Amino acid sequence: MGIIGCFALSMHLLDDHIITAQLFACKAGLVLVDAFRLYLCLLALNVPAEFGQASVLTVSGFVGSSFSIVPAGLGIREGVSALLGPLVGLTAAAAFLASAANRIIGLIVSAPIAGLLAWKAGDRAKIGAV
């Protein structure tokens, strides 16, 4: 019901069915990628888990980003994962560690890319190009 309500509200606000469908498809893809990353983190920790269990942990990302107390929900996401883990048959420690590993690996991958983009933006600023 929530997805249908958000979709209807987005269509009303954007007044464009194609853009709304593209936004929802993009978000669905990102959720699937996040679930797959959490699944791989659980397997790397030698935790016998199913994809469905890992996909439940993706809810913690939404909860973590909704808290503005700490930047990017730092620690909130992992804590919510630890609370959700036992509900789907995982230990709290395994869910916490998988979520933390997912965040750390994401930062390790995105930090060099962000550095490269910042360096390129600095080069453009030096020559006056925007």
Side-chain angles (χ1 to χ4, degrees):
M1 292 300 281
I3 292 173
I4 293 170
C6 287
F7 191 80
L9 183 62
S10 297
M11 283 194 316
H12 175 70
L13 292 174
L14 296 174
D15 199 30
D16 190 345
H17 300 337
I18 295 174
I19 290 176
T20 302
Q22 289 173 340
L23 287 172
F24 272 78
C26 181
K27 187 60 181 175
L30 290 172
V31 169
L32 283 174
V33 167
D34 193 33
F36 187 66
R37 285 174 48 177
L38 283 165
Y39 177 66
L40 291 178
C41 288
L42 286 166
L43 293 181
L45 293 168
N46 203 21
V47 175
E50 297 177 5
F51 184 76
Q53 291 171 310
S55 65
V56 170
L57 298 180
T58 61
V59 172
S60 65
F62 300 114
V63 174
S65 64
S66 67
F67 282 86
S68 60
I69 299 169
V70 292
L74 194 61
I76 303 293
R77 178 180 184 160
E78 290 78 9
V80 172
S81 288
L83 292 173
L84 289 173
L87 297 176
V88 293
L90 298 170
T91 64
F96 180 88
L97 286 173
S99 185
N102 185 25
R103 183 185 294 267
I104 290 168
I105 292 167
L107 290 172
I108 289 171
V109 170
S110 62
I113 295 169
L116 179 66
L117 292 174
W119 177 64
K120 287 292 188 183
D123 285 348
R124 287 186 181 166
K126 288 179 188 174
I127 60 173
V130 179

